[in-house]
Amino acid sequence: MRAAVVTGLTLAALYLATLAPDVALWDAGEFSAAAASYGIPHPPGTPLYVTVARAWDALLPGVSPAIATNLLSAVTTALAFALLAALVARWMGAARYGVAAAVCAGAFASVWRIAVEAEVYGPALLLAMATLHAGDRAGAEPDARVRRRWLALVAYLIVLAVPLHLTSLLAAPAAIVLAVWIDPPGRASHATGRIDARAALLLGGTLMATVGVARLSAVLAGIGFALVVVGGLAMGRPAENGNASDPAARRTSAPRRAAVLVAAAMVIAASALVVIPARARHDPPLNQGNGATVVAAAAIVVREQYQAAGLWPRQAPPWLQIGNLFEWADWQVAGALGPGPQPTLGRTTVTLLFAALGGFGAVAHLRRDRRSFGALLLLLVCGGPGAVAYLNLRAGPSFGVGVLPDDAPHEARERDYFFLLGFTAWGAWAGVGAMALRDRTSRRAFRAAWLAVPAVPIVANAPVVWRSDADAAVAGDLATLLLESAPPRAVLLARGDNDTYPLWYQQIAEERRPDVVVVPVALLPSEWYRAELRRRHGLEAGAVWRGTSTALLTLAHSATAGGRVVAQTPMMPRALWPEAGARWRWHGLVRVRTSPGARDARSPEVSTEPAIAPTTVSSAAALEIEWRLRRQGAASDARASLAGDPLRPTVDATARQLRKLLLCAGLETGRWRPPPGAPLLAPGCVPP
């Protein structure tokens, strides 16, 4: 308990001090909007997360939905590592081991980033650690009746990953090992223990049962099948089925009652999926997939919209996928020594030292307790190489530059957060290794130094992970600028996540400019979304999908016929501008479609003259825009230079790119001019 309290308070203070002050980029805006409206975000819908976030938001009156959901991530992540600290302290027999392991892992860069913004991964980590804790208690419980209750809880938590997030399922094999490898009372701490046949049978069936609800890898399904076989064979051997002196083990009805209890727990956990069709029928403002029917809800849960790749063929060569994992691992410990994605001598050296420290910690753990060592090793494998095999990702955006062909497929963003559980196992062993070396050191000064080693990631990652400043406000600033620049009742075309989700958040959660219809072009191929535009706004993008260009042209004509103006964010590439020959003119920081050109042009014409008089933007809005631009260092004085961008380097350059894009848009509209000697408008300010 002491290790859990110290770790929880330490990491909670760290996360709260560095919490994002507003809506963040990528999925954060959508999750905050879903919490504010009890809506349905993108597949797999995460109904349990949205339900918890909605309740959490209601418990914090006066706090903006963005801050509330950011706080939810911080609190749940801190609780997750508090549970990890308690586990490691029990396994290693000392509180300092638990604190060192959990603090080290909790300060890894990928974990820290998801802990300070609205993301589903904080609650998912908490569920994974709770599953491990329940498995550990099930294996250590001497009373068969109490053990059945812990087994039911393990089954419940495993299936609960489906309505929360499938990341938690990567902890299921490790939890099952802890549950089936029972820990007889009075045994030596290094003993092997024995397999509980009923636990193997029931939990193996639980793991296999989730295949019908969610897409699982063959590895996890195979583990479940193997446990069922082993448990079934062992059940036929009474002499090996537990302690013969235990009356509960001799009763033939005990396995049956355990099976019923586990099945009931699974059904209760899966019932959270009902939230999707129940809410979809009320058509909340955020209703991705419109899962009002059982079939549509199932399509959301299995991510049918994304057409997730199977295990084969590989979307990238296996060596590249493993190499990408090592690249992301190199970002975890000492980001300040190499803020960019490329490896540096200092950062990679520290990474290798912590890898060696983790190896030493694994050996110390093995000598202390084989059972929990096996579970943590399985967590490392499933959360690392196992996730690589299961996810079958393309190369990350920064991986293979100069090596891969220019047209090689890449992921839309860095996917290091998919491997949180693998990094957690590594960080835990690194903390254990530091404490083991400390215990083997005789000199007092050196012993004190080893105590500080688990805190190295805190110091070495803070400069690149810190979110509690203006750098983290770019998403909210961007959305405000775009909405206030849009003409009344505009149909605003957006390109992707980073110019869509912040806009949704501002409209749904902050109730800003509800007259503007934000249309993410990436969603137009989905029939449910075209139907939503027709149902809610009377806009037609085509009943039958005939390509993006046709859909955009149809949408533009429909909007014009309805008296609406078509506008687009600066992030829209020229290839997606609807109707070649149309004129696009700046209005604030959005481009507005005016009228078709008289000549047949291959590319739209852009004018720096505003299509609508600037007076249509209220003076208050204009002042707010100007203030926010000054806040971003883009005012019409010497700070307008692109070279003066104050953003700190990071492995994800999205915020920097958006800040520069806003500056470029300001330069193009003539709202401000660079000072003498400043760089001219850089190529690529307007996406080609």
Side-chain angles (χ1 to χ4, degrees):
M1 178 60 72
R2 183 174 57 182
V5 171
V6 171
T7 299
L9 292 177
T10 300
L11 291 180
L14 178 67
Y15 299 152
L16 292 176
T18 58
L19 196 73
D22 198 354
V23 61
L25 293 172
W26 298 108
D27 296 343
E30 186 192 25
F31 283 133
S32 296
S37 61
Y38 204 1
I40 303 171
H42 64 278
T46 59
L48 180 58
Y49 170 79
V50 174
T51 301
V52 172
R54 177 60 182 153
W56 175 269
D57 190 20
L59 291 173
L60 298 174
V63 179
S64 73
I67 298 297
T69 44
N70 293 347
L71 283 170
L72 178 61
S73 293
V75 170
T76 52
T77 308
L79 287 175
F81 286 95
L83 285 179
L84 177 64
L87 280 173
V88 175
R90 179 182 183 277
W91 294 339
M92 299 302 297
R96 64 179 178 276
Y97 280 88
V99 173
V103 168
C104 183
F108 272 16
S110 294
V111 173
W112 196 342
R113 288 191 185 97
I114 61 96
V116 295
E117 64 184 37
E119 262 292 2
V120 70
Y121 295 102
L125 276 176
L126 177 57
L127 177 59
M129 294 301 115
T131 308
L132 292 177
H133 182 75
D136 188 61
R137 290 296 302 269
E141 177 56 53
D143 189 321
R145 289 174 296 179
V146 178
R147 188 184 310 135
R148 284 198 298 270
R149 297 168 190 162
W150 282 109
L151 290 175
L153 180 59
V154 174
Y156 172 80
L157 295 174
I158 289 175
V159 178
L160 203 62
V162 178
L164 180 62
H165 198 273
L166 297 183
T167 294
S168 303
L169 277 177
L170 295 173
I176 289 174
V177 165
L178 290 171
V180 305
W181 197 334
I182 66 174
D183 194 356
R187 73 178 179 90
S189 61
H190 63 275
T192 302
R194 55 185 173 80
I195 298 296
D196 184 278
R198 286 174 297 174
L201 180 66
L202 296 174
L203 294 181
T206 302
L207 197 59
M208 290 186 65
T210 57
V211 176
V213 184
R215 173 180 171 265
L216 285 178
S217 70
V219 175
L220 292 181
I223 291 173
F225 179 74
L227 287 170
V228 168
V229 172
V230 171
L233 291 175
M235 288 291 289
R237 301 180 184 177
E240 297 180 16
N241 185 30
N243 189 344
S245 63
D246 184 1
R250 294 198 303 266
R251 288 197 294 265
T252 57
S253 60
R256 188 178 306 164
R257 286 199 301 271
V260 171
L261 191 61
V262 167
M266 292 167 56
V267 171
I268 294 172
S271 67
L273 293 170
V274 175
V275 170
I276 293 179
R279 285 300 296 154
R281 291 183 180 182
H282 291 276
D283 199 16
L286 188 58
N287 189 16
Q288 289 233 47
N290 191 18
T293 66
V294 174
V295 173
I300 293 173
V301 174
V302 301
R303 300 182 297 158
E304 185 177 289
Q305 177 178 317
Y306 298 140
Q307 299 178 346
L311 299 180
W312 197 266
R314 306 304 293 176
Q315 295 200 94
W319 66 265
L320 185 150
Q321 294 176 325
I322 293 294
N324 219 158
L325 175 60
F326 279 101
E327 178 195 41
W328 291 324
D330 188 35
W331 299 353
Q332 300 307 310
V333 182
L337 298 181
Q342 287 74 29
T344 65
L345 179 61
R347 187 185 72 194
T348 304
T349 299
V350 175
T351 299
L352 293 175
L353 290 174
F354 266 73
L357 198 61
F360 190 85
V363 172
H365 191 180
L366 175 62
R367 291 173 177 172
R368 174 74 186 183
D369 183 20
R370 296 181 183 179
R371 170 177 169 268
S372 57
F373 165 81
L376 202 56
L377 177 62
L378 194 54
L379 184 67
L380 177 67
V381 171
C382 291
V388 169
Y390 167 51
L391 295 171
N392 192 12
L393 298 174
R394 298 181 291 270
S398 62
F399 191 74
V401 176
V403 178
L404 298 176
D406 294 338
D407 59 349
H410 289 264
E411 293 290 320
R413 60 182 291 194
E414 303 290 356
R415 304 295 188 184
D416 53 298
Y417 52 89
F418 283 158
F419 303 91
L420 291 174
L421 287 173
F423 296 149
T424 295
W426 166 30
W429 269 339
V432 169
M435 293 302 98
L437 288 171
R438 180 255 184 197
D439 289 347
R440 298 178 65 174
T441 303
S442 58
R443 298 187 63 178
R444 180 174 300 179
F446 289 160
R447 287 167 65 88
W450 280 116
L451 287 174
V453 168
V456 166
I458 296 179
V459 178
N461 282 328
V464 293
V465 177
W466 200 280
R467 302 296 306 277
S468 60
D469 55 19
D471 291 354
V474 64
D477 289 348
L478 171 68
T480 300
L481 292 168
L482 293 177
L483 285 175
E484 295 299 343
S485 296
R489 301 184 68 244
V491 175
L492 182 59
L493 304 179
R495 181 181 186 182
D497 295 359
N498 286 323
D499 60 343
T500 299
Y501 294 160
L503 289 170
W504 281 353
Y505 171 78
Q506 291 288 348
Q507 288 189 311
I508 295 172
E510 303 293 345
E511 300 181 350
R512 186 188 295 269
R513 294 298 306 271
D515 60 299
V516 176
V517 180
V518 177
V519 178
V521 174
L523 290 181
L524 287 176
S526 302
E527 192 280 331
W528 67 265
Y529 183 66
R530 299 195 304 275
E532 180 180 292
L533 289 174
R534 190 181 310 116
R535 180 178 71 253
R536 292 183 178 179
H537 310 292
L539 295 172
E540 184 61 59
V544 179
W545 180 248
R546 293 189 173 91
T548 302
S549 298
T550 301
L552 286 173
L553 182 59
T554 304
L555 180 65
H557 289 167
S558 175
T560 301
R564 291 181 177 272
V565 176
V566 179
Q568 58 184 354
T569 71
M571 283 67 84
M572 284 284 291
R574 289 181 183 270
L576 294 179
W577 293 8
E579 191 176 0
R583 294 180 63 85
W584 293 87
R585 296 186 177 182
W586 288 103
H587 182 257
L589 293 181
V590 301
R591 297 188 189 91
V592 175
R593 177 181 180 272
T594 57
S595 61
R599 57 188 176 84
D600 182 15
R602 290 187 176 274
S603 61
E605 181 179 347
V606 177
S607 171
T608 57
E609 300 177 4
I612 302 175
T615 54
T616 59
V617 179
S618 68
S619 58
L623 288 174
E624 182 177 8
I625 289 174
E626 187 66 33
W627 177 82
R628 287 175 177 269
L629 291 169
R630 286 181 180 275
R631 172 182 172 180
Q632 294 171 14
S636 55
D637 55 20
R639 291 175 295 172
S641 169
L642 287 175
D645 185 355
L647 263 181
R648 59 173 58 91
T650 177
V651 294
D652 185 356
T654 304
R656 174 182 294 276
Q657 293 166 357
L658 291 178
R659 291 262 301 271
K660 287 185 176 180
L661 188 59
L662 289 176
L663 174 57
C664 291
L667 291 170
E668 288 198 26
T669 60
R671 284 184 57 82
W672 57 82
R673 297 295 180 190
L680 298 176
L681 189 60
C685 276
V686 180

